[in-house]
Amino acid sequence: MCVFRMKRGQKRGDKVEEGGGSVSGPGPGAPEVCKRLRRGDSEEREQEDGAVDWGRLPEEILLQIFQYLPLLDRAFASQVCRGWNQAFHMPELWRCFEFELNQPASSYLKATHPDLIKQIIKRHSNHLQYVSFKVDSSTESAEAACDILSQLVNCSLKTLGLISTARPSFMELPKSHFISALTVVFVNSKSLSSLKIDDTPVDDPSLKVLVANNSDTLKLLKMSSCPHVSPAGILCVADQCHGLRELALNYHLLSDELLLALSSERHVHLEHLRIDVVSENPGQQFHSIKKSSWDAMVRHSPKFNLVMYFFLYEDEFGPFFRDEVPVTHLYFGRSVSKEVLGRVGLTCPRLVELVVCANGLRPLDEELIRIAERCKQLSAIGLGECEVSCSAFVEFVKMCGGRLSQLSIMEEVLVPDNKYGLDDIHWEVSKHLGRVWFPDMMPTW
């Protein structure tokens, strides 16, 4: 690199000659020469130091990077420079957000910092589109969620989920306080397509507000364990929300009238219906649904999925599986009797998935074989605390064949007999499945 020195007595306007000479008068190209020299010197230093000006990264690159960062890391990164701080506030980064509201004294889960919540409400409430609230069992966390909801007056949410990691949470709030906060979102959003409000004190009048403002856009509604909602409230939703695709509710809200309403020609075909059959007290009585109502539903929506979760005691299954039911996904969360599983094989021809958490000590050989014979679409099965002889299990897999895409069986379920032992069953089942299979192992810790 050339070095220029000013001689003693030389004026600033004199042109400097390479080698120490000088020429009187300012040269017309002097500023450009100096700029090139400074630019070259800067580039040379960057090459020598290997330095990169991260503050000049394009916004689209920063957006991609920030999307992969946890919120706390993103906040720290925003303090690096002005450009990164501006990127931190780009609307695209705030369309989807989960408020984690947990009390340190009652939960080990992390919580969204209160200062950040204030900043989100002040600067980004109008950018929020996909929002969820995750709260612990404390009333304080549920109240904090309602406080945030009541301030979302400038938002246009598309999805809203209220998730309680433990009960009672929202159910402990005054009903009027919760409804007031929720209706703020219902009234101002106008474009809700997905709403999950399980275990909340939502009621029929608030559902009418929901329908009045979001009937054209609502596609998914999950509201299990909402004791203040009546069958009439669900009928209002079914009657007005013609774009409804997925509905989840408790069995006590299911009725013949609702199924017939969902089967009306005015409605778009429902794709998923989830029913939670939960016993709050031992010996609880359950109503039955007519076969004709289910038949109307199948005629109207032949490909709809009926998902049923059972959390009942064994003596409460009386009204169920007496007539044909179009259930496709069936989960038994508590012990279910051998007799009930036998009825499942006779009354559930559309069954695709079956999960049995517990049964007892009586082998389910005949019941499994019957399910394999009658349920021609069965492709997934899971067995927990049950007993099945190895021979019956091999026969079951042989009858179902390669259509069993998921086969989750604990090793303790399989009982060796005079034909197959535990060492043999792996090879036999793998042969009929057309792929390598092993039973699940119980963890040793």
Side-chain angles (χ1 to χ4, degrees):
M1 181 174 59
C2 298
V3 180
F4 298 87
R5 295 182 178 85
M6 186 176 289
K7 290 185 177 181
R8 187 178 298 170
Q10 181 180 336
K11 297 180 180 178
R12 276 189 189 277
D14 295 342
K15 186 181 291 185
V16 180
E17 284 188 301
E18 192 172 345
S22 64
V23 181
S24 300
E32 286 73 17
V33 172
C34 292
K35 287 181 181 178
R36 285 199 299 270
L37 289 173
R38 285 196 296 269
R39 191 183 307 119
D41 190 42
S42 175
E43 292 174 355
E44 186 173 312
R45 281 199 305 270
E46 285 189 4
Q47 292 174 0
E48 290 176 356
D49 300 339
V52 178
D53 190 353
W54 293 98
R56 294 185 179 181
L57 283 176
E59 275 195 356
E60 58 270 18
I61 301 298
L62 278 176
L63 177 62
Q64 292 294 323
I65 295 173
F66 275 35
Q67 285 176 337
Y68 286 97
L69 291 178
L71 180 60
L72 187 59
D73 293 342
R74 199 189 304 169
F76 286 143
S78 70
Q79 302 174 30
V80 170
C81 62
R82 182 178 299 175
W84 286 28
N85 185 266
Q86 292 173 348
F88 177 75
H89 294 288
M90 283 191 288
E92 292 84 354
L93 291 173
W94 300 100
R95 289 175 181 168
C96 180
F97 192 82
E98 181 176 78
F99 292 93
E100 297 181 276
L101 306 173
N102 304 296
Q103 302 302 312
S106 60
S107 175
Y108 64 89
L109 300 172
K110 63 181 180 179
T112 307
H113 197 280
D115 291 340
L116 179 58
I117 292 175
K118 292 178 182 177
Q119 188 178 84
I120 292 171
I121 294 174
K122 181 179 179 180
R123 299 189 59 173
H124 301 292
S125 61
N126 59 325
H127 301 146
L128 296 172
Q129 293 183 4
Y130 310 94
V131 174
S132 61
F133 292 82
K134 185 181 289 184
V135 302
D136 59 15
S137 60
S138 66
T139 305
E140 292 83 359
S141 296
E143 287 178 345
C146 288
D147 181 58
I148 296 172
L149 285 171
S150 63
Q151 297 181 65
L152 299 181
V153 294
N154 296 319
C155 69
S156 183
L157 297 187
K158 294 184 178 179
T159 68
L160 173 64
L162 303 181
I163 304 167
S164 298
T165 57
R167 291 185 178 183
S169 196
F170 291 104
M171 292 303 300
E172 288 295 296
L173 294 177
K175 178 184 168 186
S176 59
H177 179 45
F178 176 82
I179 296 300
S180 175
L182 193 62
T183 51
V184 168
V185 177
F186 289 172
V187 170
N188 289 282
S189 288
K190 308 282 186 188
S191 59
L192 271 173
S193 64
S194 176
L195 181 62
K196 184 181 185 300
I197 46 175
D198 299 328
D199 299 297
T200 64
V202 65
D203 59 5
D204 291 356
S206 58
L207 288 182
K208 290 182 179 180
V209 176
L210 168 69
V211 169
N213 293 276
N214 301 272
S215 62
D216 293 335
T217 57
L218 190 65
K219 294 182 178 180
L220 183 151
L221 177 61
K222 292 185 176 182
M223 46 182 306
S224 297
S225 301
C226 297
H228 301 297
V229 174
S230 71
I234 295 295
L235 277 170
C236 173
V237 175
D239 188 56
Q240 299 296 323
C241 299
H242 295 180
L244 197 64
R245 294 287 192 278
E246 184 171 347
L247 180 63
L249 62 158
N250 272 72
Y251 184 79
H252 78 274
L253 293 176
L254 186 67
S255 63
D256 294 302
E257 292 79 11
L258 175 61
L259 290 177
L260 293 175
L262 292 171
S263 304
S264 169
E265 290 298 332
R266 293 178 299 164
H267 297 81
V268 177
H269 299 272
L270 201 67
E271 296 175 0
H272 301 278
L273 176 61
R274 169 177 165 166
I275 307 296
D276 291 347
V277 191
V278 182
S279 173
E280 301 294 342
N281 302 296
Q284 184 175 337
Q285 300 295 315
F286 291 88
H287 64 280
S288 59
I289 300 295
K290 296 178 182 177
K291 181 178 180 298
S292 58
S293 302
W294 286 122
D295 291 344
M297 188 73 184
V298 173
R299 284 194 302 270
H300 183 69
S301 306
K303 295 183 179 181
F304 93 104
N305 291 313
L306 175 59
V307 184
M308 300 189 75
Y309 285 81
F310 282 87
F311 295 90
L312 303 182
Y313 297 97
E314 287 192 9
D315 59 347
E316 296 173 334
F317 278 94
F320 301 100
F321 308 110
R322 295 294 181 182
D323 296 312
E324 192 170 292
V325 183
V327 61
T328 55
H329 299 74
L330 186 55
Y331 305 91
F332 293 102
R334 291 177 183 163
S335 181
V336 57
S337 70
K338 184 180 174 76
E339 179 194 357
V340 171
L341 287 175
R343 300 206 303 258
V344 167
L346 295 173
T347 60
C348 304
R350 298 177 78 236
L351 193 62
V352 174
E353 181 178 11
L354 173 65
V355 175
V356 180
C357 291
N359 166 256
L361 299 179
R362 298 175 63 189
L364 300 177
D365 295 6
E366 296 177 2
E367 289 71 25
L368 271 188
I369 298 301
R370 183 179 298 165
I371 288 172
E373 289 175 344
R374 302 294 186 94
C375 306
K376 300 297 185 181
Q377 301 178 57
L378 187 71
S379 61
I381 187 168
L383 299 178
E385 297 179 13
C386 310
E387 284 193 359
V388 180
S389 71
C390 288
S391 295
F393 182 65
V394 170
E395 183 63 22
F396 167 80
V397 174
K398 183 179 179 180
M399 294 173 68
C400 293
R403 76 169 189 261
L404 284 175
S405 59
Q406 295 183 23
L407 186 60
S408 179
I409 311 296
M410 300 300 298
E411 187 178 57
E412 291 77 7
V413 169
L414 302 171
V415 180
D417 52 27
N418 57 5
K419 192 171 182 180
Y420 297 106
L422 293 178
D423 295 333
D424 309 317
I425 200 167
H426 149 65
W427 298 104
E428 284 296 320
V429 172
S430 297
K431 179 176 68 176
H432 295 300
L433 286 179
R435 64 181 188 275
V436 177
W437 179 85
F438 288 95
D440 296 335
M441 303 293 291
M442 182 71 72
T444 56
W445 58 79

